[in-house]
Amino acid sequence: MNLLRQLDLQKTYPAYFLIDSWYTSPKLINEAAKLGFQTIGALKSNRIFYPAGIRQSLNEFVKYITDYDLDLVTVKEKQYKVYRYEGKMNDLENAVILITWDVSSPNSEPKYLLSSDVSLDSQTIMEYYSKRWEIETSFRYLKDRLGFDHYQMRSIKAIKRFWLVQYIAYGYIEFYRYKNSSIFKLENLGTTIDHLKAFNLRNLVDYVYNCGKENVDLALVHKILRLVA
């Protein structure tokens, strides 16, 4: 909630707050609304809502849904079967809940989405929420491949500097991928990082090999490579 209050966005267009199921709480949704944000978020299967005025959890309610209750929705060339509910949730007077199944995985568990903006159609809600996945993948690369979660500083200045270095590295890798993807078939940031590591290692091996051919003193090679104990 404090982070939301710190946002100072010019709301020329409708602004949507995208969150996963850990954060889709009425308190946060209502705070976002005070600040002019609509919320679209995932829901856990045990959340309570009131279809036909009857108190139900989502995972209990899905047992009674038939194919006749579902709409077919296409998002980014993928098809989903969708059940749409609009009405009361605990501590929310009115919201849209979507219960969705991926048509290509008919036996998979349903996914649950909430939108505080009841004017949006089901396709738009799902398209907006899909934008959040790009944020998730970028955090995964930052954490798993660039050490974003390994910093051990206490001062705010040091932490901000570390973050800046991380985002510069991320930007460089993305730029390199964009410039060279047609040559090296770099599909994503992960393959680009692996490519750059292999490229740098090859350059290192070439350097050591050439030093050996030219009879460069081994102590000097150690010093240049900063391998002096």
Side-chain angles (χ1 to χ4, degrees), residues 37-188:
F37 296 94
Q38 297 282 4
T39 298
I40 297 175
L43 291 171
K44 293 184 179 179
S45 62
N46 62 354
R47 293 296 291 271
I48 301 298
F49 71 137
Y50 296 84
I54 302 171
R55 189 179 189 275
Q56 283 261 290
S57 66
L58 291 167
N59 54 11
E60 285 294 322
F61 181 76
V62 295
K63 299 174 183 178
Y64 305 104
I65 296 176
T66 68
D67 274 348
Y68 296 104
D69 302 316
L70 301 175
D71 297 315
L72 193 62
V73 175
T74 302
V75 178
K76 294 183 177 179
E77 301 181 353
K78 290 189 68 174
Q79 290 189 316
Y80 300 86
K81 291 183 177 180
V82 178
Y83 179 89
R84 182 184 176 106
Y85 162 86
E86 180 181 338
K88 179 178 171 55
M89 283 185 64
N90 276 358
D91 299 319
L92 287 176
E93 286 302 316
N94 199 34
V96 168
I97 294 176
L98 302 181
I99 304 174
T100 73
W101 287 265
D102 187 339
V103 171
S104 64
S105 304
N107 297 321
S108 61
E109 292 296 316
K111 306 296 184 185
Y112 309 94
L113 297 179
L114 173 142
S115 172
S116 65
D117 186 352
V118 298
S119 70
L120 297 180
D121 59 45
S122 301
Q123 181 181 22
T124 303
I125 292 171
M126 295 173 69
E127 285 179 348
Y128 284 1
Y129 185 74
S130 70
K131 303 294 184 183
R132 201 188 64 80
W133 186 244
E134 297 171 8
I135 302 169
E136 286 291 317
T137 54
S138 67
F139 277 137
R140 185 189 70 187
Y141 284 123
L142 283 167
K143 289 180 178 179
D144 295 349
R145 305 303 303 272
L146 297 176
F148 187 66
D149 57 346
H150 296 164
Y151 60 88
Q152 297 181 359
M153 292 84 73
R154 293 185 178 182
S155 76
I156 293 296
K157 179 184 285 188
I159 291 171
K160 286 183 176 179
R161 285 176 173 174
F162 181 82
W163 288 359
L164 179 61
V165 170
Q166 292 286 308
Y167 284 115
I168 289 172
Y170 192 109
Y172 167 76
I173 294 165
E174 185 62 74
F175 179 76
Y176 183 93
R177 184 181 74 84
Y178 173 76
K179 294 287 287 184
N180 297 282
S181 57
S182 60
I183 303 172
F184 299 114
K185 297 181 180 180
L186 305 173
E187 298 175 357
N188 51 50

